[in-house]
Amino acid sequence: MNINYNFKFHDGRNIEFKVTGEPVAPPVSGFPSWVRLEHCKCSNCPLKAGEVEYCPAAVEILPVVEAFQAEDAYQKVNVEVTDERRTYAKQTTLEEALRSLLGLKMATSGCPVLSELKPMALHHLPFANSDEFVMRSVGYYLLQQLFAQRNQEQADWELKGLVERNQRLQLVNQALWQRIHAVCKGDSNLKALLNFFSMASSVSVSLESQLRKLQARMKGEA
C-alpha cells in the first residue's frame, strides 16, 4: 500500500501524509499519554496492557491529530489523494478530507478490531459519502460470505455479522474520539471522527432502511 494525501490550504500551507500500512515511528519526544493503551481504552479491546503499551490506532492517527488539532473543521482545502493507480482531487472541507484519511489510517493501524476494515482500505475510495460507505461495506461483506461458502463454511447472507461488526467498530470510534477530545484545540479531528462514527452507525442501526434506499435508487425510483 502506498497512498499519499496532500492538503493545500488557502494561506499557502501544504501538509502531506503517506499511508503505507507500516508501523508509525515513535516521535523523538516519545508518545503522549493519551496514546497509551489504558487511556480511554475501548471496552471491547482484546489487547492487554501488560503486553502492549500503546493503542495501535491512536499511534497511527497521532501525526494527523497533532498536525490539525487547532484547525477549523469547515475551512476549505484542496486535497489530492494519489495511489499506484490514479489520483483523486477535490476542494472540500478539512473535516471531510480528514474523515477519509483517518478512516484509512485506522483500518491499517494494526488494531485487531479495526483490521476488519482493512480489505476496504486496500481499495481505498477517498471522500466516500454515506451511501458509498454502506454499498462498499455490504459489497465487501457479501464477497467474504461467497468465499466462505466456497470453502464449505457457513455464509451469512442476512448480513447479521455485518451489523455486529459495525457495532464493534462504533465502540472503537467512540473511544478514539474520547482520547483526542482533550488535546484538540480546534474541532477538525473531532468532527471527522464523529462523522466517521455516524457512517459506521448507519450500517448497524439502520442497515435495512439504507438498503431500501439503495434498492430504490438502483431501480431508478429515487
Side-chain angles (χ1 to χ4, degrees):
M1 176 182 291
N2 186 15
I3 301 176
N4 185 72
Y5 268 74
N6 192 308
F7 294 78
K8 297 180 180 180
F9 291 80
H10 290 176
D11 61 7
R13 287 179 297 149
N14 195 48
I15 301 178
E16 191 171 12
F17 288 95
K18 290 185 181 294
V19 182
T20 63
E22 297 297 323
V24 173
V28 177
S29 58
F31 290 119
S33 60
W34 66 269
V35 178
R36 299 185 70 86
L37 183 67
E38 287 301 303
H39 182 90
C40 296
K41 185 179 180 182
C42 304
S43 60
N44 59 335
C45 178
L47 302 177
K48 298 179 180 179
E51 301 173 356
V52 179
E53 186 174 3
Y54 298 105
C55 166
V59 168
E60 185 65 31
I61 67 175
L62 172 63
V64 180
V65 172
E66 292 187 333
F68 298 111
Q69 63 180 351
E71 297 289 347
D72 176 14
Y74 296 110
Q75 65 180 297
K76 293 290 186 178
V77 291
N78 290 303
V79 184
E80 285 191 357
V81 183
T82 305
D83 60 24
E84 292 92 343
R85 298 179 297 274
R86 60 186 65 87
T87 296
Y88 304 83
K90 185 175 184 180
Q91 183 182 64
T92 184
T93 60
L94 179 59
E95 173 273 316
E96 183 184 25
L98 282 181
R99 183 185 69 209
S100 185
L101 174 59
L102 287 171
L104 174 63
K105 290 182 74 66
M106 290 191 295
T108 58
S109 66
C111 165
V113 180
L114 291 170
S115 63
E116 295 186 85
L117 292 176
K118 192 169 184 178
M120 290 177 62
L122 295 175
H123 299 89
H124 181 53
L125 178 64
F127 320 119
N129 60 26
S130 182
D131 285 352
E132 290 167 331
F133 179 81
V134 171
M135 184 172 290
R136 294 179 76 238
S137 295
V138 172
Y140 275 91
Y141 188 79
L142 289 175
L143 269 178
Q144 291 174 329
Q145 304 319 302
L146 174 62
F147 298 146
Q149 181 174 281
R150 288 183 174 182
N151 290 326
Q152 309 303 314
E153 300 171 4
Q154 185 173 358
D156 171 29
W157 301 114
E158 297 300 318
L159 307 181
K160 294 179 180 178
L162 179 60
V163 172
E164 293 171 356
R165 172 189 295 178
N166 280 275
Q167 289 172 342
R168 294 192 293 271
L169 296 175
Q170 284 184 60
L171 294 176
V172 176
N173 292 335
Q174 189 173 13
L176 284 171
W177 186 88
Q178 292 173 342
R179 280 181 182 273
I180 69 172
H181 183 272
V183 298
C184 287
K185 299 175 184 178
D187 62 355
S188 57
N189 290 293
L190 297 179
K191 294 283 188 183
L193 277 178
L194 282 174
N195 281 319
F196 188 84
F197 171 75
S198 68
M199 290 175 71
S201 298
S202 69
V203 180
S204 56
V205 177
S206 59
L207 176 60
E208 191 57 41
S209 63
Q210 295 287 332
L211 291 176
R212 285 197 297 268
K213 182 169 66 174
L214 289 174
Q215 182 181 29
R217 290 183 176 178
M218 292 177 71
K219 290 181 178 180
E221 298 173 4

